[in-house]
Amino acid sequence: FSPGLLVVAGSFAAFRLLNRGLERLVPPPPSARRNRWKWRNIWTSLAHSVLSGGGALAGFYLHPELSKDLVGTHPPGAHSLVAVSVGYFLEDFVDMLCNQKLHQSWELLFHHSVVIVCFGIAVLLHQYVGFALVALLVEINSIFLHLRQILLMANLVHTTCYRLNSVVNLGTYVVFRIATLAWMTRWLFLNRQNVPPATYAVGTVGMAIMTPMNIILFYRLLRSDFFK
């Protein structure tokens, strides 16, 4: 029984409790009261993005050896951070399944399934933790994606804060989402001889799914915030 699974379970419970108590911590504005579930869900996602994105940056800063060996190096803090993220994605999966219709959430449910499988391998095998930490750098952009949704729900579209967030969101999207996923795909291709076939297959499928999804989302953001 992997201790990492205890961290996953604890993370699931913690994010579930946070989700339940968020309306008291951050009461929804009148414009968001019709969709209280989504308000709570986005704030929970924002909390995870701040924790995991900041944690991934700190992990590479504190453990530079991670960037040299993405497969075998697994400092306890980095391993725990990946396990915490698995717990969050499981919680978010359950939350969407219980509160949204399938046709509204199938893309995110599919995305979460891929992430849970890939990160779960890293947690259980104590391998590819560095690779998973690179993937968590994407969450730095997710901070601004979630802030954008919060501002939209709060009816603050025509504000300086929203316009500034849109610019930062687009910049971090290119750097921490598109460029990071491209680098991960390249690394996987160059190191295919050192990765077991089953793991290589999972990683390749994951990258093949994530890349077009992120390009489509980038186009939607451009069209919505800049070309409308």
Side-chain angles (χ1 to χ4, degrees):
F1 184 76
S2 170
L5 293 179
L6 287 175
V7 179
V8 171
S11 170
F12 179 90
F15 278 109
R16 201 78 191 133
L17 285 171
L18 177 65
N19 187 293
R20 294 291 175 86
L22 263 167
E23 276 197 56
R24 293 175 184 173
L25 293 170
V26 192
S31 55
R33 284 174 191 162
R34 287 179 298 177
N35 202 346
R36 291 174 181 272
W37 163 78
K38 190 175 180 184
W39 180 258
R40 293 194 308 271
N41 180 272
I42 294 168
W43 274 99
T44 306
S45 299
L46 177 61
H48 168 257
S49 294
V50 171
L51 174 67
S52 58
L57 279 177
F60 283 114
Y61 176 75
L62 294 170
H63 304 284
E65 67 274 13
L66 268 170
S67 58
K68 297 172 186 174
D69 180 13
L70 297 180
V71 179
T73 306
H74 52 88
H79 181 264
S80 295
L81 184 67
V82 177
V84 165
S85 286
V86 174
Y88 159 74
F89 284 112
L90 282 168
E91 189 278 332
D92 201 44
F93 188 98
V94 171
D95 197 36
M96 284 190 289
L97 210 57
C98 294
N99 293 285
Q100 259 192 328
K101 293 178 181 176
L102 192 59
H103 71 87
Q104 294 175 308
S105 60
W106 72 268
E107 286 182 15
L108 273 175
L109 291 173
F110 189 56
H111 167 275
H112 283 16
S113 301
V114 173
V115 174
I116 289 164
V117 170
C118 293
F119 281 19
I121 290 171
V123 170
L124 290 172
L125 300 183
H126 287 259
Q127 287 189 310
Y128 311 103
V129 171
F131 193 73
L133 222 62
V134 173
L136 284 176
L137 291 175
V138 167
E139 293 298 323
I140 293 169
N141 167 249
S142 294
I143 294 170
F144 303 100
L145 273 177
H146 298 319
L147 280 174
R148 178 182 180 274
Q149 287 183 292
I150 288 166
L151 291 168
L152 281 170
M153 288 194 74
N155 204 18
L156 295 171
V157 180
H158 304 293
T159 61
T160 304
C161 187
Y162 183 88
R163 287 193 292 273
L164 180 62
N165 185 74
S166 294
V167 173
V168 178
N169 182 30
L170 213 64
T172 55
Y173 199 105
V174 172
V175 175
F176 289 107
R177 194 171 286 267
I178 293 177
T180 298
L181 287 172
W183 186 89
M184 288 170 70
T185 304
R186 178 178 175 273
W187 183 91
L188 204 59
F189 178 75
L190 292 176
N191 291 273
R192 61 191 182 279
Q193 303 298 333
N194 305 318
V195 179
T199 308
Y200 180 75
V202 170
T204 304
V205 170
M207 292 298 103
I209 292 165
M210 297 297 182
T211 302
M213 282 181 74
N214 280 285
I215 291 170
I216 291 166
L217 180 56
F218 183 71
Y219 168 72
R220 288 175 182 171
L221 285 170
L222 269 179
R223 190 179 61 181
S224 176
D225 286 356
F226 294 93
F227 296 152
K228 187 178 280 186

